[in-house]
Amino acid sequence: MTNHTPQWDGIVVGASLATLDAASGYGEIVDAALAWRDGLLTYVGPRAGLPGAPSALARQVIEADGWITPALVDCHTHLVFAGDRAREFEQRLQGATYEEIARAGGGIVSSVRATRAADEDELLRQSLPRARALVADGATTLEIKSGYGLDLDSERKMLRVARRIGQQLGIDVRCTYLAAHALPPEFKDRADDYIEAVCQWLPQLHAEGLVDAVDAFCEGIGFSPAQTRRVFEAARALGVPVKLHADQLSDLGGAALTAEFGGLSADHVEYTSVEGVRAMAARGTVAVLLPGAFHVLRETRLPPLDAFREHGVAMAIATDCNPGTSPLLSMRQAMQLACTHFRLTPEEALRGATVHAARALGLADRGVLRNGLRADFVHWQVGHPAELCYWLGGRLAQAVYAAGQRISGQGRP
């Protein structure tokens, strides 16, 4: 007897696909079909190539128009925090610099005070809406950093909230330990002692399953290259990958230091030298561009984009969602800003928000529409993928899927 049980959990037919499954171009397939089972893609191709009628192949058949792309990956966020820093935004517009605000007790330290004061449930309550906004605009993988706690219990609280966000929203959250973000008040003038504490806390939090990567802020108002190296060595001893806030305000060689440790990514990179670019290229370190912070801080120093292209350094894009310098709640807006400020093409921006962003998190199972990869995809109400970078605001995501499960959407595709 022939078994007519459908072999796939679901299939979308009729929309065009931007698979990104090639070295260049969108990888377009028109009048396409996209099928999945057990959270993985099982068919990516033209509808005409299906081995039978969609209704005989899948339990759920969705007729669609528009475009489907890989789901977006936000590979650099600080979205777990309490309070906000709207007043500092006003101060910057009145002429205060980022450094002046930080040295006067504002900046990161002001978010530390509010985050420490919030219990875990309150911190989750304040942070969930930000994550939901990112998901609604197409992101199904988020990196969330600690770094507004700056003591063991508060850093643990932040990382626990990040894990809970992933569980509640049905998305993949990668947790990054960023205790080396700023010097807390209780360690004033004792930066080396604080770095020692950061290195001691790391094994405890890693043993609790709360750390997927380690980051630091290597800058004049942050930590020195030597102090950053100590943090990286502690991470390497545990086999934890590293990434770095590198060369944002000056060139301290942060990108090259990250590459020396085989780091996943160097982020910001406005002041990265050609030598740093070459080091990143040699080790496969991704450059994460953060146009939200560039925009809010009204920066003028562009990252070395031509050098990244020349040396084959992959360029990812992320929101840098944070309360002070990038209160950005849309990966699509980050893509638009990257096109406007950094002159990326819409294709480069889409790749930067998908396949390259996944690589910046060490993830090879997403970011492209290909058989065997995660069924993370977005159905967009657009006539061409370039529209994702063209529209300023608005709601274009018709349906967002993570591992084959619809987690956000406006209506039936």
Side-chain angles (χ1 to χ4, degrees):
M1 179 179 294
T2 303
N3 184 359
H4 294 288
T5 302
Q7 58 181 308
W8 298 328
D9 296 331
I11 186 169
V12 181
V13 293
S16 297
L17 303 182
T19 67
L20 303 182
D21 196 11
S24 62
Y26 290 107
E28 300 178 21
I29 303 174
V30 298
D31 191 18
L34 185 76
W36 62 93
R37 180 175 180 174
D38 296 332
L40 302 178
L41 295 174
T42 53
Y43 181 87
V44 181
R47 172 157 51 177
L50 288 170
S55 59
L57 296 169
R59 297 180 181 88
Q60 179 187 24
V61 178
I62 301 166
E63 292 278 352
D65 54 12
W67 281 79
I68 292 174
T69 72
L72 307 182
V73 176
D74 197 346
C75 63
H76 182 130
T77 86
H78 306 254
L79 71 81
V80 171
F81 59 85
D84 65 61
R85 300 205 324 249
R87 174 61 182 138
E88 292 178 17
F89 174 70
E90 187 173 45
Q91 288 174 332
R92 284 199 303 274
L93 292 175
Q94 293 169 343
T97 67
Y98 180 69
E99 291 90 341
E100 287 169 349
I101 291 171
R103 295 190 188 283
I108 294 169
V109 174
S110 65
S111 290
V112 171
R113 288 193 295 268
T115 301
R116 285 181 173 181
D119 65 23
E120 186 173 314
D121 288 340
E122 174 61 17
L123 193 55
L124 177 66
R125 187 193 68 79
Q126 292 192 38
S127 301
L128 264 175
R130 295 186 279 267
R132 286 198 177 100
L134 291 168
V135 171
D137 212 26
T140 63
T141 302
L142 304 179
E143 186 255 21
I144 301 178
K145 304 178 190 293
S146 66
Y148 295 131
L150 308 189
D151 61 42
L152 176 58
D153 289 340
S154 299
E155 290 288 294
R156 177 186 286 117
K157 175 176 64 179
M158 290 188 68
L159 294 168
R160 283 175 53 85
V161 167
R163 287 282 191 239
R164 288 176 65 183
I165 287 172
Q167 294 162 2
Q168 289 207 20
L169 300 187
I171 61 174
D172 190 6
V173 169
R174 312 298 291 179
C175 294
T176 297
Y177 176 66
L178 180 58
H181 195 197
L183 191 64
E186 60 268 27
F187 279 88
K188 181 176 171 57
D189 299 325
R190 295 191 297 125
D192 285 334
D193 291 342
Y194 179 64
I195 289 297
E196 180 63 28
V198 167
C199 294
Q200 290 175 356
W201 301 335
L202 174 57
Q204 300 177 58
L205 297 175
H206 180 253
E208 294 170 24
L210 295 174
V211 178
D212 299 314
V214 169
D215 195 353
F217 184 32
C218 183
E219 195 54 73
I221 60 172
F223 296 97
S224 69
Q227 290 162 342
T228 301
R229 179 180 292 276
R230 290 172 59 190
V231 176
F232 280 7
E233 287 171 346
R236 183 162 60 185
L238 294 170
V240 179
V242 300
K243 50 180 54 207
L244 187 65
H245 285 62
D247 310 332
Q248 178 185 8
L249 306 172
S250 61
D251 182 12
L252 296 183
L257 176 62
T258 310
E260 178 187 336
F261 281 80
L264 293 172
S265 69
D267 303 22
H268 287 290
V269 294
E270 281 90 339
Y271 284 81
T272 296
S273 66
V274 173
E275 291 74 20
V277 173
R278 292 195 184 104
M280 292 171 67
R283 297 301 300 270
T285 298
V286 176
V288 177
L289 307 180
L290 302 172
F294 185 93
H295 177 78
V296 170
L297 293 174
R298 294 182 295 169
E299 295 288 353
T300 57
R301 173 68 175 249
L302 293 171
L305 304 163
D306 289 339
F308 288 143
R309 293 187 182 104
E310 178 185 351
H311 293 281
V313 174
M315 292 184 288
I317 295 169
T319 64
D320 191 18
C321 172
N322 74 70
T325 62
S326 188
L328 179 54
L329 297 175
S330 165
M331 272 295 290
R332 208 166 47 75
Q333 186 67 69
M335 293 160 62
Q336 205 285 332
L337 290 173
C339 292
T340 299
H341 288 304
F342 300 157
R343 305 295 174 89
L344 266 63
T345 67
E347 180 203 330
E348 285 180 315
L350 182 57
R351 288 182 177 276
T354 53
V355 58
H356 297 326
R359 180 176 163 189
L361 297 179
L363 302 173
D365 63 346
R366 68 202 70 186
V368 174
L369 300 180
R370 182 192 305 151
N371 284 354
L373 299 191
R374 278 177 58 99
D376 291 1
F377 60 92
V378 184
H379 172 219
W380 304 96
Q381 292 179 312
V382 296
H384 190 272
E387 288 188 48
L388 301 178
C389 299
Y390 166 72
W391 293 107
L392 287 163
R395 182 76 177 273
L396 302 183
Q398 178 77 357
V400 182
Y401 288 80
Q405 300 295 316
R406 180 168 169 155
I407 60 171
S408 183
Q410 302 180 66
R412 183 173 178 80

